[in-house]
Amino acid sequence: TITRLEDMYGPIIDTLFEVFTQVERAFLMLGGTVEKLEPQLMRQRGQATTEDLQVSLSVCQEALEKKQLVIFSQDDNPELAKRQSMNLLQIRHAMAIPLVVKDEVLGLLVMDTTNKRGSFREADGELAVCVCRQIAIALKNAMLVEKVEQQAKMRDSLRRFLSRPVLE
């Protein structure tokens, strides 16, 4: 099992590319709001990690505000299609899924394609939501493990300088 947070990102994206064959690009970002989103891994199908990929903030914002799946198709949503980021990036279809544990939004997973025939169906969305629930739980567990490890290190460091009763 993978417990280090950063070791989880690659396998997550790889699995998404296997399951959703129409996906050309995938983004895994952590943060509860659009302003706080930090890309952890961005990848284009068939390439190693790609640093210069850009994601549509319009899709991200809508998914985070609603705290639910957003499926975008250029044909079905002309209002969103007019947004500058969608046109600039030539996104035809996108799916954004918040990574939520209980009511806490940990981040967002975005998959998109420029292919006209690469639309996401309702069944794709349902599967993505199920997969992202499990991803969110795994990420939260890894975050908690890291937090406990950091606290243990801090306690060990403080032990050198403070008496035992003060620490407990």
Side-chain angles (χ1 to χ4, degrees):
T1 18
I2 301 172
T3 56
R4 284 181 25 141
L5 202 52
E6 58 272 358
D7 293 341
M8 298 174 75
Y9 306 141
I12 288 170
I13 298 292
D14 292 342
T15 301
L16 293 171
F17 280 137
E18 286 177 34
V19 173
F20 301 100
T21 56
Q22 70 271 48
V23 171
E24 291 177 349
R25 303 177 326 144
F27 303 84
L28 177 61
M29 299 168 280
L30 295 181
T33 64
V34 171
E35 298 80 27
K36 293 181 181 178
L37 279 179
E38 291 186 31
Q40 302 303 309
L41 186 62
M42 304 177 286
R43 192 176 289 162
Q44 191 159 341
R45 183 180 291 279
Q47 296 183 10
T49 304
T50 311
E51 299 297 327
D52 60 344
L53 290 179
Q54 294 180 335
V55 66
S56 169
L57 292 181
S58 303
V59 173
C60 295
Q61 185 169 359
E62 188 174 340
L64 288 173
E65 284 174 1
K66 292 180 177 180
K67 286 189 180 181
Q68 65 184 23
L69 165 74
V70 171
I71 295 179
F72 164 79
S73 176
Q74 191 178 45
D75 303 329
D76 299 338
N77 196 334
E79 187 177 309
L80 192 57
K82 291 177 188 173
R83 300 237 175 130
Q84 186 177 5
S85 63
M86 302 302 272
N87 283 323
L88 183 66
L89 299 171
Q90 299 178 344
I91 297 171
R92 290 212 177 268
H93 307 282
M95 186 163 43
I97 311 98
L99 300 169
V100 180
V101 175
K102 295 185 181 174
D103 275 341
E104 181 186 5
V105 178
L106 302 177
L108 191 65
L109 193 100
V110 178
M111 299 177 277
D112 65 30
T113 182
T114 58
N115 187 335
K116 190 173 185 172
R117 289 184 227 112
S119 66
F120 296 104
R121 300 176 319 236
E122 189 175 326
D124 293 325
E126 291 170 4
L127 178 58
V129 167
C130 290
V131 169
C132 284
R133 281 187 192 131
Q134 298 304 310
I135 290 170
I137 291 167
L139 290 172
K140 182 65 177 180
N141 287 341
M143 288 174 182
L144 291 172
V145 166
E146 284 186 1
K147 184 176 179 180
V148 168
E149 288 173 351
Q150 287 173 351
Q151 289 173 345
K153 284 180 187 176
M154 184 181 289
R155 203 170 19 259
D156 289 343
S157 294
L158 289 174
R159 238 183 225 126
R160 294 183 202 143
F161 303 106
L162 301 172
S163 65
R164 188 170 191 90
V166 173
L167 287 174
E168 293 162 11

